Amino acid sequence: MNRIVLMFIFLTLVTVLGIAESKRELVCRCDTLRCESMNYTCITDGACVVYIDRYGTGEIQVRGCTTEDPAPRMICDSHDGKPDDRRDSYDYHAHCCYKNMCNDVTKINLTLPTVNPSTSGTDKDSNDQGGGELSTIGVAAAIAGPMCFICGLIMLFICWHQKRQLKKQEHFNEAEAALKPLEVDEAVIPSGQTLKELMDMSTGSGSGLPLLVQRTIARQIHLVGLIGKGRFGEVYKGVWRGQSVAVKIFSSRDECSWFREAEIYQTTMLRHENLLGFVAADNKDNGAWTQLWLVTDYLEKGSLYDYLQLVTLDVHSMLKLAVSIASGLAHLHIEIVGTQGKPAIAHRDLKSKNILVKRNGTCCIGDLGLAVRHNSVSDTVDVPHGNRVGTKRYMPPEFLEDNVHVRHFDAYKRGDVYAFGLVLWEVARKCVSGGICEEYQLPYYDRVPCDPSIEEMRKVVCVEKYRPSIPNRWVQAEALQSVSKIMKECWYANSAARLTALRVKKTLTAICQLHDVDIMV
């Protein structure tokens, strides 16, 4: 029984303490279940050990680590030194070594001497009673040994599980402690302050409100009603201190999408009058699951897609819409160099449904969940993980053919310009000239179904090289003729020949000045 107790203590200490940090570390082979996560190895400041023991007719051989603690060191000293009368046994043996992986089965494979019935044991008595006692002890040892081994592993698993649960509880307590100050909202946001005043006070030149203020605002918003749905969430109108905000709510399974969009919105120097204003990002527990909130400015006119179906435009209103979209896209694409600089950003999903109309008749670009940023120092693009792609109807030919270098940032900017050309076509169709205008339609409405596949779009755009048709009446109107020329230069099949967003903005600004359109609204 001494051997059993010794083996149990040995296994427990090997697995629990074998990976402790110390002055000298060895990597050893380890057979215990606790070492599975380390590819059945352990790290020690003591020695690598191989332990073999006989139980009944079988043998158990265990590999692991010892430490500088007295009990494991006693094992090495006892079995590697000069054996005494008690340890010079046919039934068990241990071997310690002091090099990396020196106890591997290819290097050390211990065996026990074959038991000779005439000499083994403690000088067996010749009477039947003595033989019976030895037999009973052997059976007991054969059963008790494996049982102790299994019990030891169970105890180790229980200890490991309890330790893991304790760490989880500690993290939870830390999170709770961090969030407790948020309950006292008035201490964070003085009464009477508006969102605009908070934005003006925030640091980071448009990178959003301070984190504490974001969470405080989100916990005070009252949702009024659903105003839209998307692929990755629902959009609600909310009210905070009498001010309207838009709340995009993601489910917990779309946490990556929520985090990505919030991260892009909080890019330094991103804030611009033609980009949707970001207010806050927070998570809220609704009792059944965790909701992920993205709070932005609320624009009551809704998306450009909805707006164009309800109105007709004159030349002035058409140009205001067009130049404001181009201005927002140019700000996204441009890199601002400096300590508080902004990286160049490509939208990757520009379309009329992701553009919102403001009260003054201008637009702002929203939904930056698929946007990518360019690191000019390393010339890399932070393309998000996953299979998400932009809207197929607005995808440029090089993306439809999968013939683009995904790590080349200019490819994404040129794709945005192609999509802008299609949006400009949607806007121009609703501009009245000669007393008439076309009904609102999506690009390629006459060639593909409502939800086209990539193959259907590839056939129309790449194989047939078709582009949205230009009505004859546009040729008769100077402004529409100039706008149609910009469209065609935006959707060239050769992406390198397309205009840049900055060039589009400057050209449209010149057209606005020619028609006395006030773009400084």
Side-chain angles (χ1 to χ4, degrees):
M1 292 301 293
N2 288 337
R3 294 201 309 272
I4 295 171
V5 173
L6 183 62
M7 181 178 182
F8 177 78
I9 295 174
F10 165 72
L11 289 174
T12 303
L13 292 174
V14 162
T15 54
V16 175
L17 302 175
I19 59 173
E21 295 180 358
S22 186
K23 298 179 181 178
R24 180 176 59 87
E25 294 184 341
L26 291 178
V27 180
C28 308
R29 178 63 61 194
C30 180
D31 298 330
T32 63
L33 184 62
R34 182 66 176 83
C35 300
E36 182 180 0
S37 61
M38 296 181 63
N39 196 23
Y40 292 102
T41 61
C42 58
I43 301 174
T44 181
D45 57 356
C48 302
V49 66
V50 182
Y51 185 94
I52 186 171
D53 204 340
R54 175 181 287 125
Y55 292 99
T57 59
E59 295 178 357
I60 294 178
Q61 189 167 171
V62 180
R63 300 170 192 278
C65 298
T66 68
T67 67
E68 290 297 331
D69 295 332
R73 188 168 66 242
M74 178 185 67
I75 294 172
C76 294
D77 295 341
S78 300
H79 294 82
D80 285 347
K82 182 178 180 181
D84 56 23
D85 294 337
R86 183 175 64 81
R87 302 186 181 99
D88 189 10
S89 172
Y90 286 90
D91 295 330
Y92 71 105
H93 182 60
H95 176 79
C96 296
C97 55
Y98 301 90
K99 294 183 179 179
N100 286 333
M101 302 301 286
C102 62
N103 65 338
D104 192 83
V105 68
T106 59
K107 299 179 180 179
I108 300 175
N109 192 14
L110 300 182
T111 58
L112 292 174
T114 304
V115 178
N116 187 343
S118 60
T119 59
S120 63
T122 55
D123 294 335
K124 293 181 180 179
D125 297 329
S126 59
N127 56 71
D128 293 338
Q129 184 178 357
E133 291 176 354
L134 290 176
S135 176
T136 302
I137 294 173
V139 172
I143 296 174
M147 288 298 294
C148 288
F149 180 75
I150 294 172
C151 290
L153 293 180
I154 293 173
M155 290 181 64
L156 291 175
F157 174 78
I158 292 173
C159 292
W160 169 80
H161 182 70
Q162 290 178 343
K163 186 176 181 181
R164 183 182 181 187
Q165 291 299 112
L166 183 60
K167 285 186 177 180
K168 285 185 176 180
Q169 186 63 36
E170 289 175 354
H171 289 310
F172 177 79
N173 293 338
E174 290 174 1
E176 285 292 304
L179 292 177
K180 279 182 180 179
L182 301 178
E183 302 295 333
V184 191
D185 51 0
E186 293 301 328
V188 179
I189 306 176
S191 60
Q193 283 194 317
T194 65
L195 281 177
K196 185 178 185 306
E197 290 172 341
L198 289 172
M199 291 297 180
D200 293 339
M201 292 171 59
S202 66
T203 57
S205 302
S207 59
L209 296 169
L211 182 60
L212 187 61
V213 178
Q214 286 188 35
R215 291 179 174 174
T216 305
I217 287 178
R219 292 166 195 274
Q220 299 174 32
I221 292 175
H222 171 65
L223 298 182
V224 177
L226 182 69
I227 58 176
K229 290 186 177 181
R231 284 184 296 178
F232 301 99
E234 298 176 332
V235 182
Y236 290 82
K237 178 183 178 181
V239 176
W240 179 77
R241 292 187 178 178
Q243 302 176 70
S244 296
V245 292
V247 181
K248 187 175 181 180
I249 300 180
F250 297 74
S251 66
S252 56
R253 64 177 177 271
D254 293 320
E255 181 177 1
C256 292
S257 303
W258 166 79
F259 181 81
R260 176 69 180 183
E261 189 164 358
E263 182 184 34
I264 293 291
Y265 268 121
Q266 294 181 86
T267 302
T268 304
M269 297 292 289
L270 182 64
R271 187 166 295 277
H272 188 272
E273 61 182 355
N274 300 124
L275 297 178
L276 181 60
F278 170 76
V279 176
D282 193 17
N283 53 70
K284 292 189 68 176
D285 189 351
N286 70 351
W289 62 83
T290 300
Q291 293 179 338
L292 305 172
W293 283 27
L294 192 73
V295 186
T296 62
D297 291 343
Y298 173 74
L299 302 178
E300 60 187 22
K301 291 184 179 294
S303 70
L304 180 63
Y305 171 80
D306 297 325
Y307 181 73
L308 291 176
Q309 297 183 63
L310 301 175
V311 302
T312 56
L313 307 172
D314 57 20
V315 170
H316 284 67
S317 57
M318 176 195 69
L319 291 175
K320 282 176 66 176
L321 291 173
V323 74
S324 60
I325 301 170
S327 180
L329 187 62
H331 182 72
L332 270 180
H333 286 188
I334 195 170
E335 177 187 8
I336 301 175
V337 181
T339 306
Q340 290 292 318
K342 180 191 81 69
I345 299 174
H347 192 282
R348 292 179 70 215
D349 195 20
L350 189 68
K351 58 181 179 181
S352 55
K353 290 184 178 180
N354 288 341
I355 298 171
L356 300 170
V357 182
K358 303 168 76 171
R359 282 186 177 182
N360 60 9
T362 61
C363 289
C364 61
I365 300 172
D367 199 342
L368 301 182
L370 283 178
V372 294
R373 293 174 294 193
H374 180 234
N375 187 327
S376 58
V377 177
S378 59
D379 193 22
T380 56
V381 184
D382 63 338
V383 181
H385 297 292
N387 298 320
R388 293 177 56 188
V389 296
T391 306
K392 302 177 185 67
R393 187 182 296 272
Y394 293 82
M395 289 179 68
E398 63 270 20
F399 281 84
L400 291 170
E401 290 185 313
D402 197 18
N403 185 26
V404 64
H405 196 306
V406 296
R407 296 297 173 184
H408 189 196
F409 182 69
D410 281 349
Y412 297 109
K413 291 199 298 184
R414 293 166 183 170
D416 284 350
V417 171
Y418 171 88
F420 172 81
L422 298 180
V423 172
L424 193 57
W425 177 85
E426 295 176 62
V427 173
R429 281 177 61 89
K430 298 293 293 189
C431 181
V432 178
S433 67
I436 60 172
C437 69
E438 289 78 31
E439 65 175 351
Y440 175 77
Q441 293 289 354
L442 287 169
Y444 304 108
Y445 72 98
D446 52 344
R447 295 299 181 100
V448 296
C450 293
D451 186 19
S453 65
I454 288 183
E455 182 56 35
E456 288 171 330
M457 290 304 305
R458 190 190 68 81
K459 179 182 177 183
V460 172
V461 176
C462 304
V463 178
E464 299 175 1
K465 300 187 182 302
Y466 177 79
R467 296 293 184 274
S469 59
I470 304 297
N472 291 330
R473 70 178 182 90
W474 291 10
V475 180
Q476 309 301 322
E478 182 181 358
L480 286 172
Q481 185 179 16
S482 301
V483 168
S484 63
K485 183 176 183 295
I486 295 175
M487 293 177 205
K488 294 175 183 178
E489 293 179 325
C490 287
W491 61 43
Y492 280 136
N494 180 6
S495 62
R498 296 173 196 154
L499 298 174
T500 64
L502 185 58
R503 172 46 55 193
V504 171
K505 174 187 174 182
K506 290 182 177 180
T507 304
L508 284 171
T509 300
I511 297 173
C512 288
Q513 293 172 349
L514 185 64
H515 291 82
D516 296 324
V517 177
D518 184 10
I519 59 176
M520 302 299 292
V521 180

